Amino acid sequence: MILKIVKYPEPVLEQPGEPVTEFNGELRKFVADMFETMYASQGIGLAAQQVGVAKRVTVIDLSLGKDPAEKLVLINPEIILSEGRQYEEEGCLSFPEIREKVVRAAKVRVRAQDENGKWFEMDGEELLARAFQHEIDHLDGVLFIFRMSALKRSLNLRKIRKMQSEGIW
Ligand code: NI
């Protein structure tokens, strides 16, 4: 089932997610719906807040659904190591049309649970490292506009207000 993706400034986007404690059929259905929703919007990452649910659940797939081996489910994830620096352009399904360079660590290691509750660790570099950091930020209620410089943020907020006034946001 394709879920509705909420856009900024929907308050749930800035709400930190509750940890998941029950790994049941309902959770697995939610994860499957999140993948379906993300693929329908051509995204590479989606956090639960973006479909209106403040829980620590995110899905990532850099292959856009082409390679099942690239499907990642991260539940209750945390970054346990980060190193280096990268400065690349990011987008976000809750900010259509907005793309901006954001500073991130170049490499990170995440610790997370899968949809059965099993803990695992995984390293990511470059785009995958950015996806991990962007999505885990979402779970903390942190949006990528708050990772931009103050100038870029105000320019983008102005752009959003203009789109809102034109009824295209
Ligand atoms: Ni996002």
Side-chain angles (χ1 to χ4, degrees), residues 95-115:
F95 291 82
E97 311 294 323
I98 307 292
R99 293 197 66 82
E100 201 65 74
K101 282 190 162 191
V102 176
V103 176
R104 300 283 188 189
K107 290 171 74 170
V108 296
R109 176 170 297 162
V110 295
R111 181 172 182 268
Q113 283 168 286
D114 67 15
E115 56 193 330

Side-chain angles (χ1 to χ4, degrees), residues 3-6 12-13 30 34 37 46-53:
L3 307 169
K4 182 180 184 284
I5 296 179
V6 300
V12 68
L13 290 171
F30 180 60
M34 283 183 67
T37 304
L46 185 69
Q49 275 87 342
Q50 294 181 275
V51 292
V53 177

Side-chain angles (χ1 to χ4, degrees), residues 13 45-47 50 90-95 104 134-135 138 142-144:
L13 290 171
L46 185 69
Q50 294 181 275
E90 287 181 19
C92 180
L93 293 175
S94 295
F95 291 82
R104 300 283 188 189
H134 181 113
E135 300 312 326
H138 270 300
V142 175
L143 300 169
F144 85 135

Side-chain angles (χ1 to χ4, degrees), residues 29-147:
K29 166 82 169 93
F30 180 60
V31 166
D33 288 345
M34 283 183 67
F35 274 112
E36 197 180 339
T37 304
M38 178 174 78
Y39 294 143
S41 296
Q42 307 268 305
I44 59 167
L46 185 69
Q49 275 87 342
Q50 294 181 275
V51 292
V53 177
K55 281 199 179 157
R56 300 188 68 79
V57 179
T58 180
V59 297
I60 293 173
D61 183 350
L62 301 189
S63 82
L64 293 164
K66 292 184 192 80
D67 180 1
E70 296 214 23
K71 286 177 80 171
L72 297 175
V73 179
L74 284 82
I75 297 172
N76 301 328
E78 48 184 328
I79 291 171
I80 55 172
L81 275 176
S82 60
E83 61 178 68
R85 179 186 184 273
Q86 56 173 324
Y87 183 54
E88 298 294 336
E89 207 170 70
E90 287 181 19
C92 180
L93 293 175
S94 295
F95 291 82
E97 311 294 323
I98 307 292
R99 293 197 66 82
E100 201 65 74
K101 282 190 162 191
V102 176
V103 176
R104 300 283 188 189
K107 290 171 74 170
V108 296
R109 176 170 297 162
V110 295
R111 181 172 182 268
Q113 283 168 286
D114 67 15
E115 56 193 330
N116 299 308
K118 189 171 180 292
W119 285 98
F120 65 96
E121 288 184 11
M122 190 173 178
D123 291 331
E125 292 182 31
E126 300 179 0
L127 180 58
L128 183 58
R130 285 209 297 285
F132 283 153
Q133 292 168 88
H134 181 113
E135 300 312 326
I136 292 172
D137 264 359
H138 270 300
L139 303 185
D140 292 330
V142 175
L143 300 169
F144 85 135
I145 47 162
F146 299 113
R147 298 285 187 196

